[in-house]
Amino acid sequence: MKEEIFASGRHIPHIDPYLNIWHWPIALYLFLGGLAAGILFFAGYFVVKGKEKEMPATVKWAPIIAPIALVIGLLALFYDLHHKLYFWQLYTTIRFTSPMSWGAWTLMAITPLSFVWVASYMKEMFPGWDWKLKILDRFEAWVIENRVPFAWIMMVLSIILGVYTGILLSAFNARPLWNTSILGPLFLTSGLSTGLAAILWISKNEHERKTISRIDLVLILVELFFIVHLFMGFLAGTAVKNEAAALFLGGEFTVTFWVFVVILGLVFPATLEAMELRGFHVPAWLPPLLILFGGLVFRFVMVDAGQITRFLY
Amino acid sequence: MAIDTKKCVGCSDCVVACQTENNVPHGYCRDWIVENVSGTYPVVEMEFRSERCNHCDNAPCVRCCPTGASHIAEGGIVLVTHDECIGCGACIESCPYDARYPHPDGYVDKCTFCIHRVEKGQNPACVDVCPTHCLHFGDLEDPNSDVSLAMKDRKWRVLAPEAGTKPQLYFLM
């Protein structure tokens, strides 16, 4: 036999018996951050490509979600801090070794940018919109004039944001489930895919829907490939990595992950999207809803399961 | 710090001394005793380990801290500046030894090797209180320090070296 116990007793809140320091706000934020990154990336992308007119939902309407998602995400992050009144300390320094530090700065840049982006389309979306102040009119004119450079900056920042939602977790070598370099690309892909799902939900334009569906199909396939890759890495890894994989291969997260994330959140909506592209009638809200739900569950599963995996005891 | 697992009897005096010395809130602890039993009767082995923050040389908590609150003080002790800590929990996630916890006041707390005592030339409270003298503290670069002398002729190991943190708690076997 081999047994290890805390002889002095130890039951520290949030630490024992399993680490549980990050709760739903972190998972929710990772989802909303990825969603906003996806929406803003494609809004920027189609402006850079000069397809603004063909993709109205992508460029104008869906981005309304981004600032809302980012603000809710930021509030969730703030809510999760234990020493809330000191949050401003984040913005007194940049620490390049800490993903949370440059993530906080990225958010500081992309959140106002998402507001500016939406504001610059207000007059097009709501005819008769009046900014009331001259200076705002002038600012709007300046943004509209420089829309392409803005789109480029937004694309770069949204990629950083999307990757950051994964790297935030993968930087912790103490949590074997998170500590894999595939997590950054995986979270980015998932974020882009949930962004496309939101666009697809909003779009009424046949051509736009088809374009978005096609990109989404590719992203879902890439995501599935990354997931396979993730588990291949775990199973070929050290004991702690094997244990991390075991949580999903027979362990307590098996059903949640494979049924809700992989099948209902990726495979099934991808099949529906493919059928729609072939001319079958599919309820327009169903694939996006499934993808968004799968993406949300994925973040919750990763945040919860990662904290269970460890080196000792 | 070196911990002589052959001498430790698991009395938990170090835990209580720490809680008293550092006003550790009720229900929390900065150090703890692990009892490891292995083998099959009649060949059974038991090991006690007094564990705490490993004050790692390559401290992941310091690397992950977004504000610089977690830092390595002169001499190698890993500390948290309370006024700079936002309580985000990144350092807690990053610690393979689960040595940190969120203090009820919000900031993240952990073993400080009783730096307030060390600065005065004293030992950490846990070291001084240990009835079997199984804890040895000091400067590893000084060959005549208590810890260097304790480790000189002994076999030792560290916990989870595969985590790559270069831990500075040495368990004498």
Side-chain angles (χ1 to χ4, degrees):
Chain A
M1 82 175 234
K2 191 165 170 64
E3 184 185 73
E4 226 169 27
I5 57 164
F6 289 125
S8 63
R10 199 183 99 147
H11 202 86
I12 304 175
H14 305 299
I15 309 293
D16 299 311
Y18 290 110
L19 195 67
N20 184 23
I21 191 82
W22 281 357
H23 312 100
W24 63 266
I26 300 291
L28 180 68
Y29 158 70
L30 295 179
F31 170 71
L32 292 173
L35 175 69
I39 291 172
L40 294 177
F41 176 81
F42 287 105
Y45 175 75
F46 285 108
V47 165
V48 167
K49 288 285 253 180
K51 295 194 173 160
E52 221 173 327
K53 295 279 171 294
E54 297 161 46
M55 315 289 285
T58 316
V59 173
K60 293 179 210 164
W61 294 95
I64 298 177
I65 300 168
I68 301 170
L70 286 171
V71 168
I72 297 174
L74 281 168
L75 287 174
L77 282 184
F78 178 72
Y79 174 75
D80 201 62
L81 293 181
H82 290 262
H83 218 197
K84 292 185 177 54
L85 293 178
Y86 291 81
F87 82 95
W88 51 271
Q89 288 280 2
L90 270 174
Y91 296 106
T92 58
T93 174
I94 298 186
R95 304 192 73 82
F96 288 103
T97 55
S98 162
M100 198 182 276
S101 176
W102 51 261
W105 281 103
T106 306
L107 281 168
M108 195 63 147
I110 202 168
T111 309
L113 190 59
S114 69
F115 275 98
V116 169
W117 185 270
V118 174
S120 78
Y121 282 107
M122 285 309 260
K123 280 187 184 155
E124 278 185 49
M125 287 189 289
F126 307 101
W129 183 271
D130 184 5
W131 285 112
K132 301 279 198 280
L133 284 173
K134 260 248 159 64
I135 186 158
L136 287 177
D137 276 322
R138 248 180 284 153
F139 180 63
E140 185 197 30
W142 177 74
V143 175
I144 292 171
E145 219 170 276
N146 295 293
R147 203 162 254 158
V148 174
F150 262 99
W152 273 111
I153 298 171
M154 207 162 76
M155 278 167 72
V156 173
L157 285 177
S158 51
I159 293 286
I160 297 176
L161 177 65
V163 173
Y164 152 69
T165 59
I167 291 187
L168 178 70
L169 301 183
S170 72
F172 299 126
N173 70 339
R175 313 294 150 204
L177 177 70
W178 294 346
N179 189 218
T180 154
S181 49
I182 204 77
L183 222 58
L186 175 57
F187 272 63
L188 172 67
T189 316
S190 168
L192 291 177
S193 170
T194 50
L196 288 176
I199 297 167
L200 205 56
W201 204 336
I202 291 169
S203 177
K204 301 270 184 286
N205 177 322
E206 190 64 23
H207 168 74
E208 185 177 29
R209 289 182 58 83
K210 278 197 171 153
T211 313
I212 295 295
S213 281
R214 283 203 189 99
I215 306 175
D216 197 26
L217 271 176
V218 174
L219 286 179
I220 289 178
L221 287 176
V222 172
E223 201 179 329
L224 286 169
F225 167 74
F226 282 159
I227 288 174
V228 173
H229 214 64
L230 177 79
F231 282 99
M232 278 172 65
F234 284 150
L235 293 173
T238 53
V240 286
K241 297 277 186 198
N242 291 335
E243 283 161 22
L247 287 174
F248 295 85
L249 304 171
E252 58 186 287
F253 291 94
T254 310
V255 174
T256 332
F257 184 75
W258 296 103
V259 174
F260 290 99
V261 178
V262 176
I263 296 177
L264 284 179
L266 294 171
V267 178
F268 187 47
T271 314
L272 289 177
E273 280 185 6
M275 282 168 64
E276 200 181 8
L277 285 174
R278 298 245 160 172
F280 287 91
H281 180 71
V282 173
W285 52 271
L286 187 58
L289 178 72
L290 289 170
I291 292 170
L292 289 166
F293 180 69
L296 184 63
V297 175
F298 176 56
R299 268 69 174 186
F300 271 87
V301 166
M302 289 307 281
V303 168
D304 281 355
Q307 295 184 95
I308 291 178
T309 58
R310 47 167 51 174
F311 278 92
L312 293 169
Y313 318 126
Chain B
M1 182 183 276
I3 296 100
D4 193 337
T5 60
K6 294 281 183 240
K7 276 191 186 170
C8 180
V9 293
C11 69
S12 301
D13 245 13
C14 48
V15 180
V16 178
C18 170
Q19 286 165 328
T20 316
E21 175 71 27
N22 296 297
N23 266 327
V24 178
H26 184 70
Y28 293 74
C29 57
R30 292 182 181 183
D31 56 352
W32 57 92
I33 306 280
V34 174
E35 177 189 319
N36 179 305
V37 183
S38 57
T40 314
Y41 180 82
V43 190
V44 186
E45 264 196 47
M46 183 190 263
E47 177 190 82
F48 284 109
R49 300 194 303 260
S50 169
E51 295 185 6
R52 56 190 58 53
C53 168
N54 279 259
H55 296 273
C56 305
D57 250 4
N58 180 23
C61 49
V62 173
R63 191 173 65 230
C64 287
C65 179
T67 67
S70 281
H71 63 282
I72 298 184
E74 202 188 331
I77 297 181
V78 178
L79 295 175
V80 182
T81 309
H82 297 170
D83 289 352
E84 286 177 20
C85 175
I86 61 172
C88 68
C91 56
I92 297 175
E93 296 287 0
S94 78
C95 178
Y97 308 101
D98 288 342
R100 292 169 163 250
Y101 57 83
H103 191 281
D105 287 346
Y107 54 84
V108 170
D109 203 20
K110 64 183 261 309
C111 162
T112 61
F113 267 163
C114 286
I115 192 156
H116 58 285
R117 289 170 59 92
V118 175
E119 279 169 347
K120 285 188 253 169
Q122 296 170 320
N123 276 325
C126 53
V127 175
D128 272 353
V129 82
C130 179
T132 65
H133 299 292
C134 79
L135 301 175
H136 302 272
F137 180 78
D139 184 358
L140 278 166
E141 280 166 20
D142 172 6
N144 292 316
S145 67
D146 187 21
V147 66
S148 301
L149 292 174
M151 286 171 70
K152 209 171 135 195
D153 304 317
R154 296 284 297 272
K155 263 208 230 172
W156 54 261
R157 69 188 168 97
V158 293
L159 295 176
E162 65 275 23
T165 59
K166 299 198 180 125
Q168 298 300 312
L169 282 194
Y170 296 88
F171 293 90
L172 306 180
M173 307 191 295

